[in-house]
Amino acid sequence: MTTQNPPILAIQGLHKRFGDLEVLKGIDLSVAEGEVVGLIGPSGSGKSTLLRCINHLEQPTLGRIQFRDTVIQESDRNINAVRTKIGMVFQRFNLFPHLTALQNIMLAPCKVSGVPEATAKKEALALLEQVKLAEKADSFPAQLSGGQQQRVAIARALALKPEVLLFDEPTSALDPELVGEVLEVMRDLAKRGSTMLIATHEMGFCKEAAGRVLFLDGGVIVEQGTPQQVLESPTEPRTRAFLSRVLNR
Amino acid sequence: MLFALLCLLPIAAPVRSFAQNSGDALDQVRARKKLIIATDATYPPFEYKDGGKLMGFDVDLGNEIAKRLGVKAEWLPLEWTAVLGSLEAHKADLILSGMTITEERKKKGYTFSRPYFLSGQSIVRRNDDNSINGLNDLKQKTVSVQDETTGMYAVQKIGVPANHIMKFDQLPEALTDVRNHKSDAAVADMPALKRLVRMSFGDMQIVGGIVKDEYVGAAARKGETRLAQAINEALAQIMTDGTYASIYKKWIQEPATTRMLGKLDAMRDQGSVTVKDTEEILSNAPTESAALNTGKAPGVSIRWNLLWNARKLLLEGAKVTLIVTFFTLIFGAVAGLLIALARLSAPPPIRALMVFYVEIVRGTPLLMQIYAIYFVLPAFGLSFDNPIKAGIAALTLNAAAYIAEIFRAGIQSIDVGQMEAARALGLDYRGAMRWVILPQTLRRVLPPLTNEAVALLKDSSLVSVISVTELMRVGKEVAANTAAPTTLYLGVGAIYLAMTLPLTSLVRKLEKTWQTDAGTGARPTRRQKGA
Ligand SMILES: Nc1ncnc2c1ncn2[C@@H]1O[C@H](COP(=O)(O)OP(=O)(O)OP(=O)(O)O)[C@@H](O)[C@H]1O
Ligand SMILES: [Mg+2]
């Protein structure tokens, strides 16, 4: 199924090192339009680093990242334009505390794309509706629960109508009872055909929502395939060890 | 960048003359039809302010001198140490400030006129302290003096150890020190002492008469002999046509004796004037001190009516203090923000320059920076037409460095996730700063900025040294005039407090709001620490 659509994101030979520590040791990955990719792996395996290299929050040390037909480069003056096409959701939400939920969502459309305020507001309200927080439009982040904050953050990431969404452990900073509402929103996005890359420890969610699962360890993709293949009958011993650790907790 | 450069000047540059306008001082005075005279208006009866108006023996004399030169006198009131530097900095043509002619000062480069006043150093002590009756009794004592005066030199010369010499800016402070038993005696000019004892130090008396004849002269810049000559001619006229006698009577409140005038005339060739260290004239000492101490209660108590009478002046001074503080804050905040941003994101050379600037400002005394702006910059052709502006400039240079550090700390205290989230949305660095980082920084730096404002309000008193008549300076002037430093400084302190208290309570309020804010709003930062 991946081969039918042209890849929206193509990564080749991606390396990333922090000083002496080489975190990514050659990643090749191509993501098709509408694909939902789950990224699993032990802590420190480089899941966040991989996602952050894609929109250049980290500069890759080596390798090539292509978004549609644009090669993303450090020197690229249009990195900001590319970023508007790649939405990102952070583990710690990173909402702007001085702005209301609505203003958080409107900021990029108004200040980056120059959308008129009235239009931006209408669209932002629609997005809040989509994440089921219409009544919290005028609340400040501090007045929202963690789950609500993360849903606003997702709405904010959607505001520029990105073509790819990057999720970096979107639920792992949440209290367990709040995880569900966020996963609900993401499930909904997947149904709508969004292209998503999700670093997560939520194996259940991966199984049901992801089309493909990657197991990352030691800076390389150790194993990949459908959720059934990777999560239920992994071939690599490292994958098996990881899964038994996670599932037996 | 300019800032940093400016701050280097006082270290790097010996003061050079900038007199591009041709001619010597006399030609310049005639050309601009103005004789600029520097004076320290806290030295009654020679020069002081009463009701905000400059007056005194020297003032009348200076106006007469200017008249005879065919020009107008313009008075530049400065602190004494600044008066001494004003000639070299080309701020003034002449010093007329009860300045004693000494060999030491001649060597330092002052060109003196003929002496126009015969003065002398006298000793004042508490009425009940019989152990001091002459100069030689001071050797084992603690003596208070006015800083950089001939009184101080005299005390040093008889061998009083440096740690037993208490130096004060103002004579009344020196006497108050004696009153409080912190020092045993004060040594200062006889006319000034007389007036002080008469007005509010009735618990003290002058003993030992004039311990040393001293000749007071006008001082011009080094090498300005033509100006000195012209002043001499004017003085000769003034002293012979009766003008001098009436000025003397008016301010010294005694007739000018022929003996004294004869002495002055004998010394008219100022080059021959020297001060003999051991010269002691004890002749008419007892009568003098007896006459001086007639019926005046010691003025230890607070004289409220004085404060009330001076309220207009004091409030005027407070206004100047507020103006200086206000503009310094505005300019300092803008400059400080720019410096902070440059330190965080400008190219490395500019960044280094900013670090350098901040370190220089933070590592040198504010007073030195103020002097640098006022005295050194003119040598490079940069000058302020009005001391308030110079004061604001100097304080701004200083405050900008501190405010830059406040902003830098504020910006750096914002969770990095904020910048990342903003950049991930496609905002460029400037946009992220403008819309995300700075609005949060501003709320965070408000309390420390208000603290800076409080500090600034108090530090602004330092610009009084360059003749800005702000609150502290007004206080000093009124204190000198009324000889009631305790009362005045108490009043001045109360006014400062009245200005700073609202600010400090504002800080407290802001800090409280920020705290409740931080409890919930700054959650990302907390989590980051915990993670
Ligand atoms: N800015 C950085 N500087 C130095 N080292 C870093 C930096 N960012 C990440 N690392 C290191 O790179 C490695 C991979 O980190 P990364 O955050 O990508 O792991 P992860 O798979 O997301 O782990 P987790 O599940 O804990 O989020 C870790 O060892 C981490 O310490
Ligand atoms: Mg991670």
Side-chain angles (χ1 to χ4, degrees):
Chain A
M1 56 176 168
T2 36
T3 42
Q4 255 90 13
N5 299 335
I8 192 168
L9 199 64
I11 301 170
Q12 286 158 15
L14 175 63
H15 288 254
K16 174 64 186 177
R17 87 177 27 253
F18 294 107
D20 286 341
L21 178 71
E22 187 161 39
V23 178
L24 299 180
K25 300 174 180 166
I27 302 282
D28 297 301
L29 171 65
S30 128
V31 180
E33 192 155 359
E35 206 183 355
V36 176
V37 178
L39 210 53
I40 61 170
S43 182
S45 58
K47 303 182 295 294
S48 301
T49 307
L50 172 57
L51 293 179
R52 292 159 59 83
C53 278
I54 291 172
N55 67 353
H56 269 230
L57 284 183
E58 303 287 0
Q59 304 305 328
T61 309
L62 202 71
R64 179 185 149 98
I65 302 173
Q66 187 171 339
F67 171 76
R68 292 208 183 276
D69 31 20
T70 320
V71 177
I72 307 175
Q73 289 167 332
E74 151 116 77
S75 59
D76 192 352
R77 290 232 212 101
N78 289 329
I79 182 76
N80 292 325
V82 173
R83 279 176 178 155
T84 62
K85 297 284 148 212
I86 302 176
M88 187 161 201
V89 175
F90 299 86
Q91 182 174 355
R92 290 180 293 109
F93 333 136
N94 297 357
L95 287 180
F96 307 134
H98 62 299
L99 301 178
T100 62
L102 191 69
Q103 290 167 332
N104 262 280
I105 301 168
M106 288 168 63
L107 184 72
C110 290
K111 303 305 174 195
V112 179
S113 315
V115 175
E117 204 165 305
T119 319
K121 186 170 176 181
K122 225 175 72 198
E123 291 175 357
L125 283 170
L127 284 170
L128 279 172
E129 194 84 49
Q130 184 182 333
V131 299
K132 304 197 174 61
L133 281 174
E135 77 283 4
K136 297 290 185 186
D138 295 322
S139 302
F140 285 92
Q143 299 164 321
L144 300 175
S145 74
Q148 292 171 330
Q149 287 191 56
Q150 191 62 299
R151 283 187 280 154
V152 173
I154 293 172
R156 180 178 70 178
L158 292 172
L160 291 174
K161 306 184 181 71
E163 297 174 38
V164 177
L165 283 169
L166 309 176
F167 290 84
D168 188 0
E169 300 196 36
T171 57
S172 56
L174 295 175
D175 295 336
E177 73 269 23
L178 300 177
V179 169
E181 60 191 59
V182 173
L183 292 181
E184 175 71 42
V185 168
M186 292 169 61
R187 214 172 279 128
D188 179 53
L189 282 171
K191 268 192 215 129
R192 291 169 186 239
S194 307
T195 311
M196 307 202 281
L197 243 84
I198 308 167
T200 186
H201 289 299
E202 298 290 333
M203 298 306 155
F205 177 77
C206 265
K207 226 175 268 180
E208 118 200 34
R212 177 159 52 131
V213 172
L214 305 183
F215 174 64
L216 206 63
D217 193 13
V220 294
I221 297 174
V222 174
E223 184 165 3
Q224 62 174 309
T226 64
Q228 286 71 27
Q229 287 169 346
V230 177
L231 300 177
E232 281 163 18
S233 47
T235 54
E236 292 291 325
R238 273 197 279 176
T239 319
R240 254 178 263 146
F242 169 72
L243 285 172
S244 70
R245 263 203 321 274
V246 181
L247 298 175
N248 293 338
R249 239 196 332 220
Chain B
M1 270 147 286
L2 184 66
F3 294 163
L5 210 72
L6 300 191
C7 285
L8 262 187
L9 298 186
I11 303 162
V15 185
R16 264 183 290 121
S17 163
F18 69 108
Q20 297 107 335
N21 20 354
S22 56
D24 66 0
L26 183 61
D27 291 335
Q28 287 169 25
V29 167
R30 293 220 159 106
R32 70 168 112 86
K33 297 210 168 301
K34 254 189 334 201
L35 177 67
I36 303 173
I37 309 174
T39 195
D40 176 10
T42 57
Y43 206 54
F46 287 102
E47 45 270 319
Y48 63 104
K49 282 191 181 169
D50 193 354
K53 204 170 164 315
L54 183 68
M55 56 180 67
F57 183 96
D58 284 342
V59 179
D60 283 359
L61 192 74
N63 288 337
E64 285 295 332
I65 291 173
K67 199 157 67 175
R68 276 155 229 263
L69 292 181
V71 299
K72 280 198 67 162
E74 183 179 301
W75 292 89
L76 181 64
L78 298 169
E79 297 260 320
W80 177 235
T81 39
V83 165
L84 291 175
S86 64
L87 294 177
E88 209 176 355
H90 286 255
K91 293 282 174 188
D93 306 306
L94 200 68
I95 294 175
L96 218 49
S97 196
M99 186 169 173
T100 312
I101 305 170
T102 65
E103 286 305 316
E104 221 168 334
R105 283 179 177 155
K106 281 190 210 165
K107 265 187 235 138
K108 281 183 185 163
Y110 299 99
T111 307
F112 283 102
S113 71
R114 60 180 288 166
Y116 64 80
F117 195 90
L118 176 59
S119 178
Q121 297 296 307
S122 286
I123 303 164
V124 66
R125 62 148 162 90
R126 294 182 298 276
N127 286 334
D128 55 12
D129 181 0
N130 295 322
S131 68
I132 298 170
N133 290 301
L135 207 51
N136 285 326
D137 299 332
L138 294 181
K139 281 180 191 160
Q140 310 300 326
K141 305 280 185 181
T142 301
V143 185
S144 62
V145 296
Q146 207 178 350
D147 200 11
E148 287 299 313
T149 55
T150 48
M152 183 182 89
Y153 305 145
V155 172
Q156 285 171 342
K157 278 203 180 118
I158 60 165
V160 178
N163 59 350
H164 283 187
I165 302 178
M166 315 299 293
K167 299 172 185 173
F168 294 90
D169 257 5
Q170 310 268 321
L171 202 43
E173 292 160 12
L175 294 203
T176 306
D177 205 52
V178 177
R179 167 178 289 160
N180 295 339
H181 292 254
K182 290 207 170 137
S183 31
D184 303 306
V187 172
D189 290 353
M190 174 68 117
L193 280 183
K194 270 190 199 172
R195 186 174 178 280
L196 278 178
V197 169
R198 189 172 64 227
M199 287 188 60
S200 51
F201 288 88
D203 50 334
M204 288 181 214
Q205 58 185 289
I206 294 171
V207 294
I210 288 183
V211 294
K212 207 167 72 181
D213 265 0
E214 282 181 353
Y215 295 89
V216 175
R221 202 163 23 249
K222 187 177 189 173
E224 298 292 358
T225 44
R226 280 184 67 231
L227 179 63
Q229 199 49 47
I231 304 282
N232 282 347
E233 281 159 24
L235 278 173
Q237 269 183 35
I238 292 166
M239 289 169 89
T240 46
D241 69 4
T243 315
Y244 185 86
S246 71
I247 295 177
Y248 194 95
K249 183 103 214 314
K250 177 176 169 192
W251 295 108
I252 313 300
Q253 300 187 352
E254 284 169 13
T257 63
T258 45
R259 175 177 159 271
M260 185 200 76
L261 285 169
K263 269 190 170 180
L264 284 178
D265 199 46
M267 292 293 182
R268 67 182 171 276
D269 175 9
Q270 55 102 10
S272 69
V273 173
T274 51
V275 178
K276 289 198 202 88
D277 300 328
T278 50
E279 189 177 357
E280 284 199 37
I281 304 166
L282 295 161
S283 53
N284 57 352
T287 44
E288 222 170 305
S289 49
L292 282 167
N293 287 322
T294 44
K296 197 54 192 219
V300 194
S301 58
I302 307 297
R303 291 150 70 183
W304 296 108
N305 61 322
L306 259 182
L307 281 180
W308 180 247
N309 292 341
R311 68 188 184 280
K312 262 203 179 132
L313 288 172
L314 291 172
L315 289 181
E316 197 61 32
K319 202 173 100 188
V320 174
T321 292
L322 282 178
I323 288 173
V324 168
T325 307
F326 177 78
F327 283 105
T328 301
L329 264 182
I330 298 292
F331 298 148
V334 173
L337 179 57
L338 292 177
I339 293 168
L341 289 175
R343 271 195 76 166
L344 290 171
S345 56
I350 293 179
R351 218 179 288 187
L353 209 61
M354 291 301 140
V355 175
F356 188 55
Y357 166 68
V358 168
E359 291 315 318
I360 285 198
V361 168
R362 296 206 303 178
T364 55
L366 174 56
L367 195 58
M368 190 212 80
Q369 294 160 19
I370 293 171
Y371 276 123
I373 293 286
Y374 192 66
F375 289 121
V376 182
L377 283 195
F380 293 81
L382 250 167
S383 196
F384 292 91
D385 53 351
N386 135 359
I388 293 196
K389 286 186 198 162
I392 292 175
L395 286 174
T396 298
L397 284 182
N398 182 271
Y402 287 94
I403 293 177
E405 287 302 283
I406 292 175
F407 272 120
R408 191 170 66 95
I411 291 171
Q412 286 178 334
S413 78
I414 305 292
D415 178 26
V416 287
Q418 292 291 307
M419 178 56 97
E420 287 180 351
R423 298 304 305 270
L425 283 169
L427 283 165
D428 57 12
Y429 180 82
R430 287 181 56 159
M433 271 289 170
R434 166 74 185 80
W435 302 109
V436 175
I437 305 299
L438 288 182
Q440 296 181 56
T441 306
L442 233 49
R443 302 164 85 210
R444 235 171 252 204
V445 298
L446 223 47
L449 270 187
T450 318
N451 276 330
E452 173 68 16
V454 172
L456 199 59
L457 199 128
K458 291 180 289 178
D459 285 350
S460 71
S461 64
L462 284 175
V463 298
S464 67
V465 298
I466 53 170
S467 86
V468 179
T469 326
E470 46 67 67
L471 182 53
M472 191 68 205
R473 178 71 187 176
V474 172
K476 276 186 187 177
E477 286 172 357
V478 178
N481 177 22
T482 57
T486 319
T487 301
L488 259 299
Y489 292 153
L490 210 75
V492 165
I495 298 177
Y496 272 111
L497 207 58
M499 294 193 287
T500 52
L501 274 185
L503 280 175
T504 41
S505 73
L506 181 68
V507 180
R508 224 166 295 131
K509 224 179 263 169
L510 286 172
E511 266 164 1
K512 224 178 255 167
T513 13
W514 170 242
Q515 252 167 23
T516 47
D517 236 32
T520 45
R523 184 177 282 170
T525 319
R526 285 191 160 187
R527 278 195 191 268
Q528 189 185 33
K529 273 186 200 149

